[in-house]
Amino acid sequence: MPDLGRQLHEHVEALFPICRSITGEGLRETLRYIGRVLPLEVREVPSGTRVLDWTVPPEWTIRGAFVATLGGRRVVDFRRSNLHILQYSMPVDRVVTRQELAAHLYSLPDQPDLIPYRTAYYGDTWGFCVADRDRQALTDDSYHVRIDSTLAPGSLSYGECILPGSSSNEVLFSAHCCHPSLANDNLSSIAVAIELARWLMRAPRRYSYRLLFMPGTIGAIAWLHANRDCVHRVEHGLVLTCLGDPAPISYKRTRSSNAAIDRYAAAALREEGHAHRVHPFMPIGYDERQYCSPGFNLPVGCLMRSPGGTFPEYHTSADNLDLVQPGALADSLRILQRIVHLIERDEVWRNASPYGEPQLGRRGLYAPIGDELSTQTYDQMSLLWVLNLSDGEHSLFDIAERSGRPFDAVVAAAEALAKAGLLQRDLLAENDGSVATLRRRPDRVDAVE
Ligand code: ZN
């Protein structure tokens, strides 16, 4: 575990210095890094392309920026922190009065030592983000401001890692990668998603997996626009964000709030002792807003530790390499692997001998009352519950929830019963390849012949 935490933190360290935005070289450099460790398809959507109700903006290139005294002393310098530049600032190179400069400065009076992170993607303006303490020290009458940037036609980049499984039904993971040097809010989830994908690549997969690395909002909108005819393949989805801070894990429900992923995630948090950290859906936050817009209404929740906006370091220079902890990153990955395990192993079976209890003794599956089958990973009660509820209407996860037996004991009991010929895979669920579909979309179940 310490090694895995270290490895995750090294991804964060490697990506931290890059000045990312919703378009541009920093974003591409980040995708190139991911592409060196994962099979990644990078898409480029030209500026000006209409995507759903939006238009892909011009590409922003930032080469340097400073505020200097007229004597040439740089009092704010992009080279010291890429947070200093208001993202998407237009180029400027002139002398301004202190009053004019003040209208273009952003600071946090309540956190006077921290540089805020601010954006102006869709406004024609320029600005600098500074520590309030440094702002108070700007007492000259005039300053030289220079922003060496370009706003020009280019493209919006995003990356897709597709890992096919035996079914074409998909599990979607989505991480934003448009923030500059901010560690928890963006790099932690990129790091965890990278190692989640590498783990998935080594494992047998029932589902197909799609991991998206994209700029927030406009990236998800561009992806949904390009995939609007096939998004129905997404059976379960999670937006990943803020997965490296020391707070315990938390989960925000999907729009429907009772999708299968809501139940899997809630169960995983319950196992961790954090059942109270499951939050209701709200139409604000990260890209779950796009996936859960009413026209798509995809079963996509959001997994995080501290929700964005709730921790004091959020969108400031204090969201740095110290805030993100190796142990927290590894813990987030472990919980995600548990959720994937629930997704992969939740199946629908049918009792092949449903008239009366089958005689378990002659199949070596019966233990006298109080005498557990001690060498097995399942128990007698799990066996009886699986037999009783495997009627094509209940998945193994349903059976675990209803019986209160551990999910893994229920799975083991089902395997033993299947081996003894007492359970068959449910053909309806098999044809459709998905448990979630059976339960969540009765309209589609009818369509399966
Ligand atoms: Zn953010």
Side-chain angles (χ1 to χ4, degrees), residues 179 185 314-315:
H179 289 24
D185 184 6
Y314 174 76
H315 280 192

Side-chain angles (χ1 to χ4, degrees), residues 16 18-20 82-83 87 117 178-182 186-187:
F16 190 76
I18 302 172
C19 184
R20 278 162 293 272
N82 58 35
L83 297 181
Q87 290 233 328
Y117 160 62
C178 52
H179 289 24
S181 294
L182 295 175
N186 113 257
L187 298 181

Side-chain angles (χ1 to χ4, degrees), residues 206 264 271 338 340-349 376-379 381-383 385-387 390 395-401 403 405-419 423 425:
R206 198 156 61 95
Y264 297 141
E271 290 173 0
R338 179 64 182 164
V340 168
H341 175 77
L342 296 175
I343 290 172
E344 284 283 329
R345 301 310 305 272
D346 188 20
E347 296 179 83
V348 181
W349 295 83
Q376 310 293 344
T377 50
Y378 55 89
D379 57 280
M381 278 311 294
S382 298
L383 210 68
W385 273 111
V386 171
L387 271 178
S390 289
S395 75
L396 296 180
F397 185 81
D398 295 333
I399 296 170
E401 294 238 299
S403 67
R405 313 310 297 171
F407 178 74
D408 293 324
V410 169
V411 170
E415 279 169 356
L417 289 165
K419 213 166 142 193
L423 279 190
R425 278 176 200 281

